[in-house]
Amino acid sequence: MGITLTQAESIIAAAKSKATELDLKMNIAVVDAGANLVAFVRMDGAWLGSVDISIRKAKTARFFDMNTGELGKLSQPGGALYNIEHSNGGLITFPGGIPLKDANGEVVGAVGVSGSTVDNDHTVAQAGADAL
């Protein structure tokens, strides 16, 4: 079973709460198992340029079922996946995208966050993922 809208909304609420706690303005996207957008929020004042990045982070995490930061490590010059970010219409290979797993460990979607440093993006995304 994939991610439901109710689950996606709770993921976004948890991520928004963490962003507010850290005084950050974020774009937060949740995609389902097919990498289709289920829910999205742009917090007041969040960068417009990060809308697309948050969605692409979520899709990238789902396409490869790994944190986008881990994919980034593999895609450095000389790495086995060098230049992968140019595939699939453009991927994001820095932190802020996390696969979402159900109680059985099956990937049911992903969350992507953008709007601050990559460390903050990852922290806020992890708060969302932990809500599932």
Side-chain angles (χ1 to χ4, degrees), residues 5 11-12 17 29 41 47 71 88-89 97 129 131:
L5 177 57
I11 291 162
I12 285 180
S17 178
V41 67
W47 293 329
L71 187 61
N88 295 285

Side-chain angles (χ1 to χ4, degrees), residues 47-110:
W47 293 329
L48 290 172
S50 290
V51 170
D52 182 60
I53 294 170
S54 66
I55 294 168
R56 286 180 187 266
K57 283 182 181 183
K59 288 183 175 189
T60 300
R62 176 55 189 118
F63 285 159
F64 297 96
D65 294 340
M66 70 174 73
N67 289 357
T68 53
E70 292 304 311
L71 187 61
K73 291 175 187 176
L74 299 171
S75 65
Q76 295 303 304
L81 300 178
Y82 180 60
N83 276 330
I84 195 170
E85 66 274 7
H86 301 291
S87 70
N88 295 285
L91 302 173
I92 300 292
T93 58
F94 46 85
I98 300 175
L100 299 169
K101 297 181 181 180
D102 65 13
N104 298 321
E106 182 177 334
V107 177
V108 294

Side-chain angles (χ1 to χ4, degrees), residues 8-18 28:
E9 289 171 335
S10 69
I11 291 162
I12 285 180
K16 276 178 50 183
S17 178
K18 179 54 97 175
I28 306 160

Side-chain angles (χ1 to χ4, degrees), residues 107-118:
V107 177
V108 294
V111 59
V113 175
S114 184
S116 184
T117 65
V118 292

